[in-house]
Each structure stands twice: as C-alpha cells, then as structure tokens.
Amino acid sequence: MNKIFDDLAYIFSKNDFSLYMIGSTSRDYLLNREIFDYDFVSDATPLEIKKFLDNDKLNLTFEKFGTIKYFCLDKKIDIVTLRKEFDYKDSRHPSKIIFIKDIKEDYLRRDFTINAIYIDKNYNIIDPANGYNDLKNKKLRFIKDPLISIKEDPLRILRAYRFIKEYNLSIDEDVLKILKENEFLLKNIKEAKIKEEKRKYEEVLKRCITN
C-alpha cells in the first residue's frame, strides 16, 4: 500500500470522484519498486479538484489541459483528468481535448500498453491494453500503430528507449526499426523536452548502476 495514494484516493472518494495510479507509479508499485514519480488520473476536472484540495498546494499552470500538480509530503504529484484527444498538429500537443469519465476511452490516447495500467483505490488493476501482462513478460508494445503514435509525439521514441532500459524490456525488431528510422522527427520537439527526457534516461542509468 502507499500512503500518498491512499490519502488522496480517500479525499477524492469522499467527494464522489475516483483516483487511479497510472504510468510509472502503477508499474513501480506492481514491481515492488520504490516510487519516484507520482502520476494519477481522475474523473474529476481541475475545476472540481480545486474545490476540495488545498489550492496553496496546487500548481494550476496547465489546468486547461486537464493537468495539475499537487504537493504532498514533499512529493510533487501529477493529477490528470481522464480525457480524449484529437489530431496532433504540432508533433506534440492535441488540437483538442475533452474531459471524459471512461478509462476505456482515456487509455486509447496513451503510447505504450505498460503506460495504461490503472490501479484504483482498492488496488484493483484495470488493464484495457493488457499492459500488466506485457510488464511481467518484459515486452514493450505500442497501444496503436507505432508509426502513427510516433508521428503524434516523436518524444515517444526517447521514452521507448528509456523504458526498454529501465525495465529491461524487449521490443519487436520491426518496431525498433520504425523508432530508428524516425528519429529525425525529434527535430520538431522543443530542446527543453529533449533535455528532460535525456535527464530521466540518465537517472535510469544511475539507478541501474546502483542496483
């Protein structure tokens, strides 16, 4: 169990909303690893969340995109509203988003199956993309066509390399070829985003050496 998640999930539930672990948080929890990054999703919108979380602990810079940061127990927590995305026109951001309630729609906007493992307040696993099985079998798979996913957001190329290293995953040779052949698309990504992804990769390397 995890105190940060338990406490926040209780608050959301008390206000008639759901909160789920997602991304690296659910992966690391399932692998019994230390959780470094806290990523949650909810059916509550930022406007609704502001009514019951301490606003002094919230960073609302990206609330119009359904993303807020919450500071709790010296941890920075990302909370994203379940959403549906439309047409990526700048190789990074969707042209339109709408907030939704259904996980089965939310997961379709995600990149990899291991990034779409939802864990609810009772620690039940909700896994529409069969990502937990891929995690156990050390397999990296895109949720949709790899080329389409990469063109939507080329940063997913670097994220793929990081996940392969961090979780010792295998990837199909044809998919790996697509990653390599489309690295030129990274020129469309802001340098700050590239540097941030490289920083995360270096952190992975350090943890691998330590362990």
Side-chain angles (χ1 to χ4, degrees):
M1 304 303 171
N2 181 275
K3 178 173 174 51
I4 288 178
F5 179 63
D6 290 342
D7 290 350
L8 267 180
Y10 172 77
I11 294 172
F12 274 70
S13 179
K14 188 171 67 172
N15 286 275
D16 298 321
F17 295 107
S18 298
L19 189 74
Y20 306 90
M21 288 187 189
I22 195 65
S24 65
T25 310
S26 56
R27 287 194 300 273
D28 290 342
Y29 170 77
L30 291 170
L31 293 172
N32 294 311
R33 293 167 40 147
E34 182 178 356
I35 296 175
F36 292 98
D37 298 309
Y38 283 86
D39 295 309
F40 302 148
V41 292
S42 174
D43 55 353
T45 67
L47 181 62
E48 292 164 333
I49 292 172
K50 286 190 291 184
K51 294 177 181 179
F52 59 83
L53 285 188
D54 184 350
N55 281 219
D56 290 337
K57 296 181 179 179
L58 291 175
N59 181 327
L60 301 167
T61 304
F62 298 104
E63 68 171 306
K64 70 177 182 179
F65 301 111
T67 299
I68 65 172
K69 294 186 185 297
Y70 181 66
F71 298 90
C72 176
L73 299 178
D74 297 323
K75 299 292 185 181
K76 182 175 69 175
I77 301 160
D78 287 316
I79 305 174
V80 177
T81 302
L82 297 172
R83 68 193 189 207
K84 189 173 182 179
E85 300 178 344
F86 299 86
D87 295 335
Y88 287 69
K89 293 187 175 180
D90 64 352
S91 297
R92 178 66 179 159
H93 301 101
S95 59
K96 176 185 176 184
I97 65 170
I98 58 173
F99 299 142
I100 58 176
K101 300 288 186 180
D102 192 352
I103 283 174
K104 291 181 179 179
E105 283 192 273
D106 180 80
Y107 96 92
L108 293 171
R109 71 180 178 83
R110 298 182 177 276
D111 45 17
F112 307 105
T113 62
I114 63 167
N115 238 2
I117 306 169
Y118 303 74
I119 299 178
D120 71 13
K121 65 178 183 179
N122 297 314
Y123 292 86
N124 296 312
I125 299 171
I126 304 166
D127 190 16
N130 204 25
Y132 187 29
N133 189 58
D134 286 339
L135 187 64
K136 290 187 290 186
N137 291 320
K138 296 185 176 298
K139 183 74 173 179
L140 186 68
R141 287 192 304 117
F142 281 88
I143 288 175
K144 51 190 172 185
D145 182 281
L147 185 56
I148 292 175
S149 190
I150 289 169
K151 286 184 176 180
E152 285 178 348
D153 182 358
L155 197 62
R156 289 169 173 169
I157 296 170
L158 298 184
R159 286 165 59 81
Y161 294 151
R162 172 162 59 89
F163 291 153
I164 289 169
K165 182 65 177 180
E166 183 171 8
Y167 298 99
N168 191 27
L169 305 177
S170 64
I171 188 171
D172 288 346
E173 285 297 323
D174 57 338
V175 178
L176 183 60
K177 182 180 178 182
I178 290 173
L179 292 177
K180 293 182 179 299
E181 289 179 345
N182 287 277
E183 287 182 1
F184 71 92
L185 294 173
L186 289 168
K187 71 178 186 301
N188 298 323
I189 300 297
K190 291 181 179 179
E191 184 61 29
K193 292 292 185 181
I194 300 290
K195 287 182 178 179
E196 175 64 11
E197 188 57 45
K198 288 181 177 179
R199 181 191 65 77
K200 291 180 180 179
Y201 188 85
E202 289 173 358
E203 287 183 355
V204 168
L205 291 179
K206 289 179 183 177
R207 291 202 291 269
C208 290
I209 291 173
T210 301
N211 295 330

